[in-house]
């Protein structure tokens, strides 16, 4: 059963803050510092939840906030920006969140986010397993702007407090790190489930202690939405739906099981600690390889098209281009309208349909021609992406486009043959 949210307590004040409440919060923080927002209301004598206190302090009461009327120069600047940009608030917001922190900097999504934000002038800190391992992190250090604005840090999501110092000073935090399931792994709880849940919790607690952090964006998955007995009946699936953990266990869908529990726990911690959290739920991510090692999804694609795997998945799933996933994450962080969960997915298809597309485009490739007999992962469905489209991501690249970009990147790498399949480091 879900733990009740402390903000829902009946005796908590709701609505506008009084001057007396503001002064209590100011006096407490001035003497004791911010500490843990979850426990602060009680010790400060406030009938408010931790989230309300944190947002009140960050957005209104911090002594470093500029107050008073706009100067003539400021008004002139605002008018010029609006004349130039119209209502493109996201573009303006880009320059208010300049310092970004990442977990999973060497991962597929994380690496692309680092690359994009560096190119747009942001200061970026990213976690890696070993900052001194040039073979694994050199591609990040060679990105445009990395020399001036990228710092790689060592941290362990499984160690509580490991990120306290690392996130301090960051405006936004992207949590993209996550382990993947190794085939035939018998230690699923230790290598997949526990790291997903505990890693997310540890990071969020660290973020709650950093007054600089304005928003946290977590990379979840459509896998935390689409695994249910009634998938066909409730389709198109939207952000209100959740995968059923019992369904996942019944069909040995352990990645979906872990992602579902981890995201639910993230929402619980965010509510209790007063964190502005937005979650992006991408589907099966496809696109060009830029990391030294392939992600689990690119590894699967490579083995299917090269014939190293004789079977393809018996899976009906949404596919999405990495560029669209990056755009979705940036919207989630930078657009003040973003909230809750955001499904990020292009078309939904069964893998047999993808195989037909690949055979027609690449007839000389020994592409797998036998479907897996895995059950429980082939439920027909569609995904409702109207929420993220309202934020500006109005079109998604097609399945042929994303696979062409992916395979072209394979072809450009002479050394891209067999890779060791392993759990990518949780960093």
């Amino acid at each position: 059963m879900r733990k009740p949210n402390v903000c829902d307590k009946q005796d908590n004040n709701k609505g506008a803050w009084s001057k007396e409440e503001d002064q209590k919060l100011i006096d407490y923080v001035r003497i004791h510092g911010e500490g843990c927002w979850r426990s602060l209301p009680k010790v400060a004598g406030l009938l408010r939840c931790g989230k309300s206190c944190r947002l009140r302090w960050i957005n209104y009461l911090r002594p470093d906030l500029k107050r008073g009327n706009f100067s003539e120069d400021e008004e002139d600047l605002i008018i010029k920006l609006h004349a130039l940009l119209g209502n493109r608030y996201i573009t303006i917001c880009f320059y208010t969140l300049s310092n970004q922190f990442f977990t999973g900097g060497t991962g597929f999504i994380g690496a692309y986010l680092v690359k994009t934000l560096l190119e747009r002038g942001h200061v970026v800190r990213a976690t890696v397993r070993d900052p001194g391992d040039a073979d694994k992190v050199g591609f990040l250090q060679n990105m445009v702007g990395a020399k001036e604005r990228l710092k790689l840090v060592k941290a362990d999501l499984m160690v509580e407090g490991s990120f306290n110092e690392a996130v301090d000073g960051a405006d936004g935090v992207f949590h993209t790190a996550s382990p993947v399931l190794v085939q035939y792994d018998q230690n699923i709880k230790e290598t997949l489930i526990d790291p997903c849940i505990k890693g997310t919790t540890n990071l969020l607690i660290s973020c709650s202690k950093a007054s600089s952090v304005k928003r946290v964006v977590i990379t979840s998955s459509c896998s935390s939405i689409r695994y249910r007995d009634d998938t066909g009946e409730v389709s198109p699936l939207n952000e209100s739906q959740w995968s059923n953990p019992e369904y996942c266990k019944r069909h040995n869908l352990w990645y979906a099981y872990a992602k579902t529990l981890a995201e639910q726990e993230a929402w619980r911690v965010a509510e209790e600690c007063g964190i502005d959290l937005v979650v992006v739920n991408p589907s099966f991510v496809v696109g060009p390889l830029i990391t030294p090692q392939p992600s689990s999804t690119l590894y699967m694609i490579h083995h299917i098209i090269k014939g190293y795997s004789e079977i393809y998945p018996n899976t009906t799933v949404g596919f999405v281009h990495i560029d669209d996933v990056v755009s979705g994450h940036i919207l989630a962080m930078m657009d003040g309208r973003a909230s809750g969960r955001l499904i990020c997915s292009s078309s939904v298809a069964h893998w047999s349909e993808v195989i037909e597309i690949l055979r027609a485009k690449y007839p000389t490739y020994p592409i797998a021609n036998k479907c897996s007999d895995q059950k429980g992962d082939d439920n027909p469905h569609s995904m409702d992406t109207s929420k993220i489209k309202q934020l500006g991501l109005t079109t998604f690249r097609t399945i042929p486009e994303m696979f062409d970009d992916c395979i072209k990147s394979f072809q450009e790498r002479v050394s891209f043959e067999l890779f060791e399949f392993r759990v990518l480091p949780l960093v």
Side-chain angles (χ1 to χ4, degrees):
M1 181 179 294
R2 182 181 177 273
K3 185 176 179 180
N5 178 9
V6 294
C7 293
D8 295 333
K9 289 183 178 179
Q10 293 183 354
D11 56 348
N12 275 347
N13 292 335
K14 305 289 194 304
W17 279 60
S18 67
K19 292 183 179 179
E20 292 77 13
E21 288 178 312
D22 282 347
Q23 194 59 52
K24 280 186 178 181
L25 181 56
I26 292 170
D27 291 343
Y28 181 86
V29 174
R30 182 183 295 129
I31 297 172
H32 302 285
E34 297 174 17
C36 178
W37 291 104
R38 179 168 48 183
S39 59
L40 185 148
K42 182 177 181 180
V43 294
L46 289 163
L47 292 176
R48 295 278 182 173
C49 69
K51 180 178 182 179
S52 178
C53 291
R54 183 174 187 268
L55 294 178
R56 185 66 179 173
W57 175 257
I58 290 174
N59 295 327
Y60 298 99
L61 301 179
R62 283 186 297 126
D64 58 328
L65 286 175
K66 191 170 184 180
R67 293 173 170 79
N69 296 328
F70 289 114
S71 67
E72 290 185 7
D73 288 342
E74 289 172 332
E75 289 181 347
D76 185 53
L77 176 60
I78 292 171
I79 292 170
K80 288 180 178 178
L81 282 172
H82 191 269
L84 177 65
L85 302 171
N87 288 326
R88 292 164 60 196
Y89 299 113
I90 182 174
T91 308
I92 299 173
C93 289
F94 250 122
Y95 299 96
T96 66
L97 290 174
S98 59
N99 295 288
Q100 304 298 326
F101 177 84
F102 290 86
T103 67
T106 57
F108 189 27
I109 296 174
Y112 267 97
L113 278 167
V114 169
K115 177 177 180 291
T116 300
L117 291 177
L118 282 174
E119 290 173 348
R120 299 187 183 191
H122 292 267
V123 176
V124 175
R125 278 179 280 172
T127 61
V128 294
R129 179 59 61 93
D130 182 3
D133 189 340
D135 290 338
K136 295 180 180 178
V137 305
F139 78 102
L140 293 173
Q141 296 168 330
N142 291 330
M143 289 179 175
V144 175
K147 184 177 180 180
E148 300 81 15
R149 288 176 278 103
L150 174 64
K151 181 179 181 180
L152 302 179
V153 297
K154 183 177 182 179
D156 188 346
L157 279 171
M158 295 301 290
V159 178
E160 186 174 349
S162 178
F163 285 83
N164 288 355
E165 182 177 350
V167 300
D168 189 34
D171 297 306
V173 172
F174 290 92
H175 178 40
T176 67
S178 180
V180 295
L181 183 62
V182 176
Q183 195 172 14
Y184 308 121
D185 190 344
Q186 300 300 315
N187 300 311
I188 293 172
K189 187 175 186 300
E190 293 180 6
T191 59
L192 179 65
I193 298 171
D194 288 347
C196 270
I197 298 173
K198 188 175 181 180
T200 300
T201 301
N202 286 341
L203 177 68
L204 287 174
I205 291 174
S206 291
C207 290
S208 72
K209 298 176 181 178
S211 61
S212 65
V213 176
K214 299 177 178 66
R215 174 170 286 183
V216 178
V217 172
I218 290 179
T219 308
S220 184
S221 171
C222 283
S223 294
S224 66
I225 295 174
R226 64 187 180 89
Y227 289 110
R228 320 157 45 102
D229 287 298
D230 62 349
T231 297
E233 289 80 359
V234 299
S235 181
L237 300 172
N238 60 41
E239 286 83 0
S240 69
Q241 268 109 27
W242 286 88
S243 290
N244 183 340
E246 293 304 315
Y247 180 97
C248 295
K249 288 196 291 185
R250 189 191 323 147
H251 295 286
N252 295 316
L253 299 166
W254 298 114
Y255 176 78
Y257 178 82
K259 295 297 282 188
T260 301
L261 295 187
E263 189 189 338
Q264 290 175 339
E265 182 66 7
W267 283 113
R268 185 191 69 79
V269 174
E271 289 173 356
E272 290 197 354
C273 293
I275 296 171
D276 182 9
L277 174 66
V278 181
V279 172
V280 180
N281 300 85
S283 51
F284 191 101
V285 185
V286 183
L289 174 71
I290 65 169
T291 58
Q293 285 281 341
S295 66
S296 58
T297 56
L298 297 192
Y299 174 93
M300 177 191 297
I301 294 168
H302 177 257
H303 272 49
I304 287 175
I305 65 171
K306 295 291 286 185
Y308 298 136
S309 174
E310 297 180 354
I311 62 174
Y312 57 83
N314 183 23
T315 300
T316 299
V317 65
F319 294 87
V320 64
H321 195 289
I322 183 62
D323 289 347
D324 294 330
V325 175
V326 169
S327 296
H329 278 74
I330 291 175
L331 283 168
M333 179 63 74
M334 306 299 180
D335 196 320
R337 298 170 298 166
S339 63
R341 310 168 86 194
L342 297 171
I343 292 174
C344 187
S345 179
S346 184
S347 302
V348 175
H350 189 272
W351 260 97
S352 60
E353 300 174 71
V354 177
I355 295 298
E356 289 182 8
I357 293 172
L358 296 179
R359 282 181 184 151
K361 184 68 180 287
Y362 305 99
T364 62
Y365 280 29
I367 298 172
N369 56 15
K370 181 180 179 182
C371 184
S372 165
D373 58 3
Q374 166 76 33
K375 302 298 182 183
D377 201 6
D378 59 342
N379 296 326
H381 66 280
S382 61
M383 306 299 296
D384 180 357
T385 57
S386 59
K387 189 176 179 183
I388 202 167
K389 286 180 178 178
Q390 291 172 1
L391 296 178
L393 188 54
T394 56
T395 59
F396 292 91
R397 290 163 179 79
T398 65
I399 290 178
E401 287 174 329
M402 63 183 79
F403 275 88
D404 283 348
D405 287 349
C406 176
I407 293 173
K408 182 180 179 181
S409 74
F410 293 167
Q411 294 169 337
E412 291 173 348
R413 290 207 181 191
V414 177
S415 61
F416 191 87
E417 283 300 325
L418 282 171
F419 285 85
E420 178 186 0
F421 188 34
R422 55 185 172 80
V423 174
L424 300 182
L426 181 64
V427 293

